[in-house]
Amino acid sequence: MTFEVPWAFVEAHRDGMVAQDSRNLKVPGFRKGKAPMQVLNVHYRRQIEDALSKRFAHAHAAQFLSERDLRVAWGPSVERCRYRPGRPLVVRALFEVFPPFELGDYTDLEVRVEPDEVTDEHVEAVLEQYRLRHASFRNLDPRPIERGDEVVCTIRVSEANDDGDGPEDDDGEREAPQETPDTARYLVVGDPELSTPQIDALLEGMEPGQTAVVRTSNAEDFGMPGLGGRRCSAEIAVQRLVEKELPDLDDEFAQDLDGGHETLDEVRDAIRKELSAQVSERAEAASRELVHYKLASSHPEAHNLPGRFLQQRLREVHTKFVRKWREEYGKPPSDRMIQSRMMLVPGQVVVEQVLDRIADVEDISVPNQEVQQHLDQWIAEYCAQEGASTEDATDAALRMNLAGQIRAGMRRTRAIEFVIANGQLAAETAVGDGEEAGVDQRSSEGAAEPSLTAADEAAGPSATGAREG
């Protein structure tokens, strides 16, 4: 776009800008700070034009776009600014818009997921987990280990270092060989949930006090993620043979648990309440995911996303994802995980656009007071984490248009809630096949992945997420 800013606005801004700095400006033939305004305007014309092309021209470009019925995705970015005293300022700016699309049906969709029923079997399964955590172990006399034996051992996996050098990192420099610390573990030989076939093969026939070492190219075979694909040395030291003794399920056991329960029935009631909350949360999350899927798949014309905007969003998501993963696990995510996360971004953007349209049609609004509450919380957390003043935190929020991000996120959340409330029951369950209630699901790398789904991010920025974005 190319547009003009009337000279009256340009002159007023120019004169105010020059007057503010006039005391520090020097012109040949005049003492510092004594040159008249007309002389300063001529002598510093190039600097004035450069200054105008930045904030002043950008602000008017943004105003120019806001007065038009456009859904701006990226920009405006001032490409050129022509300043001629006495004439309008000519500004050329670049921007991208989201593609127009027809809003499809978003009511009566099959998106409502009912929570699973919490059964007595689920409650007893969790109670059995409590019982296992409070088990005691009795040492058995040393003898060769057999299948089905309960064993306490330490496992240490270290990266092989045949040539004296570690692997190269992304910058081509050598890393120090990695090594896991000695980890005491309770294993049941032959139990796939507590051991692996590779560990079983080493343990069978060993006795307490003995140590075995084996070379492997997959540390995960020995329950140690993070070194997969590299040559490793696994060392297993058997400490003792044990026999597990479980406590009786009675009121005395209930009193030993945290929570201040007096009877076993009180513990069961607490477990049922917690499981009911879990399955309700899963049902809500499954409903949100269904809303995302249905809206994205029913608006194919909205998938033609602007290039610069999409690249910028991909960079932001990549940076945030890698940072959060490093903070939580102390290592970068795998390329496969990064690629999987990046594949979600285009669909997330499409759903954001559809939810914005739904919020417009249904006149969904967010009171200023609610936005301010979230903004105040973010400012307080920013000051605590960064050691910044309230003024600096407020300036940072203004630069990011954080209030606008919060408002947009809250409108999208309420648009999702509207679709779910007006939807039909879906043939989905809150708990996936084979998933037991109350059991924490873990990834193949040994830890639960951070919650970074498209549904979470489309709902709006968190205090930390907004700052990082």
Side-chain angles (χ1 to χ4, degrees):
M1 65 179 180
T2 301
F3 64 96
E4 296 181 347
V5 181
W7 170 246
F9 292 103
V10 179
E11 183 180 30
H13 183 81
R14 180 201 65 177
D15 291 349
M17 183 172 56
V18 174
Q20 183 178 359
D21 296 334
S22 60
R23 292 183 180 181
N24 299 318
L25 298 177
K26 186 176 181 180
V27 178
F30 296 90
R31 285 185 298 168
K32 186 177 181 180
K34 296 300 183 179
M37 184 68 70
Q38 299 89 332
V39 175
L40 291 174
N41 289 337
V42 173
H43 187 77
Y44 288 100
R45 174 172 173 166
R46 180 170 296 180
Q47 291 87 334
I48 291 172
E49 182 174 7
D50 183 62
L52 288 174
S53 68
K54 295 178 180 176
R55 291 189 178 181
F56 181 77
H58 184 277
H60 279 271
Q63 178 68 23
F64 183 86
L65 289 177
S66 68
E67 295 170 352
R68 284 150 180 80
D69 187 19
L70 298 172
R71 300 186 69 85
V72 179
W74 175 88
S77 174
V78 175
E79 184 184 41
R80 188 170 64 250
C81 181
R82 187 170 61 180
Y83 165 68
R84 291 178 295 178
R87 304 183 67 176
L89 183 73
V90 179
V91 179
R92 177 175 173 80
L94 302 177
F95 65 99
E96 289 182 331
V97 295
F98 289 109
F101 60 89
E102 285 289 330
L103 184 60
D105 181 30
Y106 54 87
T107 60
D108 209 32
L109 298 178
E110 293 185 356
V111 292
R112 284 197 298 109
V113 177
E114 292 294 330
D116 285 341
E117 178 186 1
V118 177
T119 65
D120 292 342
E121 288 76 13
H122 289 143
V123 174
E124 294 304 318
V126 176
L127 193 60
E128 187 64 20
Q129 290 181 17
Y130 292 169
R131 193 180 179 208
L132 289 171
R133 292 173 192 162
H134 289 75
S136 59
F137 295 90
R138 182 171 62 87
N139 290 334
L140 301 179
D141 293 334
R143 59 168 174 78
I145 296 173
E146 301 175 355
R147 198 168 187 81
D149 280 343
E150 299 169 87
V151 179
V152 175
C153 61
T154 60
I155 301 178
R156 180 173 61 186
V157 178
S158 57
E159 189 176 358
N161 196 10
D162 297 334
D163 56 5
D165 291 319
E168 290 187 356
D169 62 16
D170 294 338
D171 298 325
E173 297 181 357
R174 293 288 177 179
E175 300 175 355
Q178 299 184 41
E179 180 177 278
T180 63
D182 290 349
T183 305
R185 300 182 60 182
Y186 164 78
L187 302 174
V188 178
V189 180
D191 187 334
E193 294 186 2
L194 297 174
S195 185
T196 68
Q198 292 77 12
I199 293 177
D200 294 341
L202 286 179
L203 287 179
E204 288 190 65
M206 293 178 63
E207 295 187 18
Q210 292 183 338
T211 300
V213 180
V214 66
R215 303 295 290 274
T216 179
S217 60
N218 189 358
E220 292 188 6
D221 291 341
F222 295 88
M224 300 294 177
L227 297 177
R230 300 179 181 178
R231 296 191 305 277
C232 299
S233 173
E235 177 181 306
I236 299 181
V238 179
Q239 294 182 341
R240 51 199 173 106
L241 276 172
V242 298
E243 184 177 67
K244 182 168 53 184
E245 296 180 343
L246 298 176
D248 294 331
L249 286 176
D250 52 24
D251 291 346
E252 183 178 352
F253 171 69
Q255 295 165 14
D256 291 337
L257 298 175
D258 294 333
H261 305 295
E262 293 294 330
T263 67
L264 196 61
D265 286 340
E266 290 180 9
V267 175
R268 288 192 172 99
D269 290 342
I271 292 173
R272 186 179 298 276
K273 183 178 179 180
E274 176 63 24
L275 291 181
S276 297
Q278 289 181 14
V279 297
S280 295
E281 290 175 2
R282 289 174 179 168
E284 292 173 6
S287 296
R288 291 195 299 270
E289 291 293 341
L290 276 174
V291 169
H292 277 248
Y293 172 76
K294 294 290 180 74
L295 295 182
S297 59
S298 61
H299 294 84
E301 65 275 24
H303 287 254
N304 185 25
L305 298 174
R308 294 194 186 191
F309 165 83
L310 184 57
Q311 289 302 315
Q312 178 176 309
R313 174 65 74 87
L314 287 168
R315 286 193 298 268
E316 291 173 353
V317 172
H318 179 275
T319 300
K320 181 178 176 181
F321 180 68
V322 172
R323 181 186 300 136
K324 288 180 70 69
W325 193 279
R326 281 185 180 274
E327 290 174 353
E328 188 158 356
Y329 301 115
K331 62 178 182 179
S334 65
D335 291 341
R336 175 184 59 81
M337 290 181 178
I338 293 175
Q339 183 179 11
S340 298
R341 181 65 193 92
M342 295 301 100
M343 290 176 64
L344 295 175
V345 175
Q348 172 190 340
V349 175
V350 170
V351 173
E352 288 175 359
Q353 301 312 303
V354 179
L355 290 173
D356 287 343
R357 289 282 299 278
I358 293 174
D360 291 341
V361 172
E362 299 298 333
D363 196 23
I364 296 174
S365 61
V366 179
N368 292 334
Q369 183 179 0
E370 292 187 35
V371 175
Q372 189 62 47
Q373 289 175 351
H374 285 79
L375 190 59
D376 291 342
Q377 179 183 353
W378 182 89
I379 290 174
E381 292 183 8
Y382 184 92
C383 292
Q385 294 175 10
E386 304 296 331
S389 65
T390 302
E391 183 179 357
D392 290 340
T394 303
D395 288 343
L398 288 173
R399 288 195 303 271
M400 293 186 297
N401 186 28
L402 186 58
Q405 294 185 50
I406 293 173
R407 188 183 302 278
M410 295 178 72
R411 288 182 80 233
R412 291 166 187 160
T413 297
R414 295 180 184 188
I416 291 175
E417 294 169 352
F418 176 87
V419 174
I420 293 174
N422 288 274
Q424 299 296 320
L425 189 64
E428 298 285 337
T429 59
V431 181
D433 294 340
E435 182 177 332
E436 292 294 337
V439 179
D440 188 16
Q441 299 299 302
R442 300 284 172 175
S443 73
S444 61
E445 293 206 6
E449 298 185 10
S451 179
L452 287 169
T453 64
D456 294 328
E457 293 196 356
S462 64
T464 301
R467 174 169 56 82
E468 291 178 345

